[in-house]
Amino acid sequence: MGLNPSVDGWTNFLNLELKRLRLTTSINYGMFAEVEGVKVQCDLSNPLQWDAVHNWTFNITLIRPSIFLLRDHITLFSDCGADWTSAPANYRTWVPFIYSLNISLVDFNLFLNVNDGNIISSAAELNENSYIAFRGAKMSAKAVVPSDKISAIEHSIQFEVQCPAITMTIHSPLWNTLSVSLDQQDVGQLHKMELAGSYTYPSDVSRNNIETLDMHVSASYVSVVFYGFLLRHFFNVRNNYFGDHIQFVTLEEYQREAKLPNKTNIGASKRPPSNVLDITLAVEVSKGAMILPSHLYEASEGLRMHFDRLQADVRFMDYYMGM
């Protein structure tokens, strides 16, 4: 902590290192992530002029994290970002800030839950849930959260993600046929994945407001073993994270609501008021291969398609999807 200012202002730094960290949230009072080691470096320096733009940088490194991500976690993190940028405006004391987050994942595992209807009793229990899991040796992400405009009508967060290689895996619980019949759980690989995008959201919450998530993804040397059940898993990812079942329900809640009379859309009553989310996704793949197996659970025989370049544009909202 700087007690004497320099030409650039007061220098304040924070270095933090944690071992064997376990993260839980109030979303389900269960484990969100388990990490062997965390290194945090923060640059909290202040300029000489008290109301000049403050640029604060956070460098976070997670070593061997296992992350069980739900859509409610994404909402929680976006609400945290909104809390940073929506303090009561006082023109006499307001100070502009720009927060830069640099996150590095080393030997990571990311689990996306693909349970039907987003029925989840324990999100981190591998023997109870179905997942599409992504693992890799390294992933780096950068996000800029601006709070440099007083009483802004809307906010925009810019982010970038880079990863040299990712393996996609299907994980099924013990009672599922796939856990014993699937010949190989690794169904996809890609190299040099780059994602750039922005997330724009208004300051208040209303069903008349629209949040925009714009993403551009590029990857090379992509190969996917496209089983029939994989298409259903992808649609469950869409429904559980961006569609009709973004708020999970436990098995007891699902069974209780299913017994109610005139219940046509289970889980709809739990959904809190929120803005409409408009997602646009542009994907570009070079040097790809898609394998369509002839058998249900193994890919020794099938149709193999190669392509030099594949481009796809996808847009979906709560009530619309187009490709």
Side-chain angles (χ1 to χ4, degrees):
M1 180 178 294
L3 300 179
N4 297 316
S6 63
V7 178
D8 298 327
W10 283 268
T11 57
N12 302 304
F13 295 97
L14 170 65
N15 293 323
L16 178 65
E17 187 170 348
L18 302 173
K19 298 292 186 180
R20 295 180 179 87
L21 184 66
R22 186 184 180 96
L23 301 178
T24 60
T25 68
S26 61
I27 297 299
N28 56 356
Y29 298 100
M31 186 178 68
F32 162 65
E34 192 171 21
V35 189
E36 283 196 11
V38 180
K39 296 181 180 179
V40 181
Q41 295 178 332
C42 305
D43 183 0
L44 309 177
S45 301
N46 299 322
L48 289 176
Q49 185 177 347
W50 73 272
D51 59 349
V53 177
H54 292 54
N55 292 282
W56 284 9
T57 302
F58 301 84
N59 299 318
I60 303 173
T61 301
L62 305 180
I63 302 173
R64 294 186 179 89
S66 295
I67 303 173
F68 298 88
L69 184 66
L70 303 177
R71 169 57 194 267
D72 291 282
H73 291 134
I74 300 176
T75 304
L76 176 65
F77 296 143
S78 63
D79 289 343
C80 290
D83 290 340
W84 282 4
T85 58
S86 60
N90 188 329
Y91 288 91
R92 293 173 297 178
T93 59
W94 181 80
V95 177
F97 278 88
I98 295 180
Y99 305 99
S100 298
L101 305 177
N102 301 312
I103 302 176
S104 297
L105 308 181
V106 180
D107 293 335
F108 66 91
N109 284 280
L110 175 62
F111 295 89
L112 300 182
N113 198 293
V114 292
N115 290 353
D116 292 336
N118 211 3
I119 303 173
I120 303 171
S121 297
S122 179
E125 184 57 53
L126 296 178
N127 291 329
E128 294 183 2
N129 303 284
S130 297
Y131 305 94
I132 290 182
F134 299 90
R135 72 173 187 269
K138 185 178 180 181
M139 177 183 290
S140 60
K142 179 182 179 181
V144 178
V145 183
S147 180
D148 55 347
K149 296 180 181 179
I150 190 170
S151 300
I153 298 177
E154 65 177 17
H155 306 275
S156 181
I157 299 175
Q158 307 293 325
F159 57 88
E160 298 177 359
V161 179
Q162 295 180 344
C163 185
I166 294 180
T167 299
M168 183 174 66
T169 304
I170 296 298
H171 178 85
S172 300
L174 295 178
W175 50 264
N176 195 299
T177 305
L178 294 178
S179 65
V180 294
S181 300
L182 190 61
D183 184 60
Q184 188 175 1
Q185 291 186 340
D186 293 346
V187 295
Q189 291 184 346
L190 60 85
H191 297 270
K192 197 178 179 181
M193 190 273 291
E194 296 181 352
L195 184 151
S198 64
Y199 173 54
T200 304
Y201 60 95
S203 299
D204 56 343
V205 176
S206 171
R207 291 301 293 176
N208 295 324
N209 293 337
I210 297 179
E211 299 178 3
T212 302
L213 178 60
D214 186 14
M215 296 181 291
H216 299 266
V217 183
S218 63
S220 59
Y221 297 98
V222 178
S223 61
V224 179
V225 182
F226 214 99
Y227 293 99
F229 61 83
L230 192 59
L231 182 61
R232 181 176 181 177
H233 281 0
F234 286 155
F235 273 103
N236 280 343
V237 170
R238 186 264 179 190
N239 290 330
N240 294 350
Y241 291 87
F242 307 105
D244 298 329
H245 303 109
I246 60 175
Q247 189 170 25
F248 75 94
V249 295
T250 64
L251 180 60
E252 291 77 11
E253 292 172 336
Y254 180 86
Q255 293 174 337
R256 183 170 60 250
E257 294 186 15
K259 296 178 180 179
L260 296 177
N262 301 324
K263 197 66 177 179
T264 58
N265 190 8
I266 298 176
S269 60
K270 282 190 62 181
R271 186 169 180 175
S274 62
N275 300 325
V276 177
L277 181 61
D278 184 7
I279 301 173
T280 57
L281 175 63
V283 180
E284 181 175 351
V285 177
S286 60
K287 307 295 183 182
M290 181 181 296
I291 302 171
L292 303 179
S294 300
H295 304 284
L296 291 177
Y297 304 116
E298 54 96 10
S300 60
E301 298 179 359
L303 177 65
R304 186 181 183 97
M305 296 184 295
H306 294 266
F307 53 87
D308 288 333
R309 176 166 294 183
L310 173 66
Q311 292 179 324
D313 293 324
V314 183
R315 182 184 180 186
F316 48 89
M317 306 175 71
D318 292 348
Y319 50 84
Y320 168 83
M321 179 176 179
M323 179 179 293

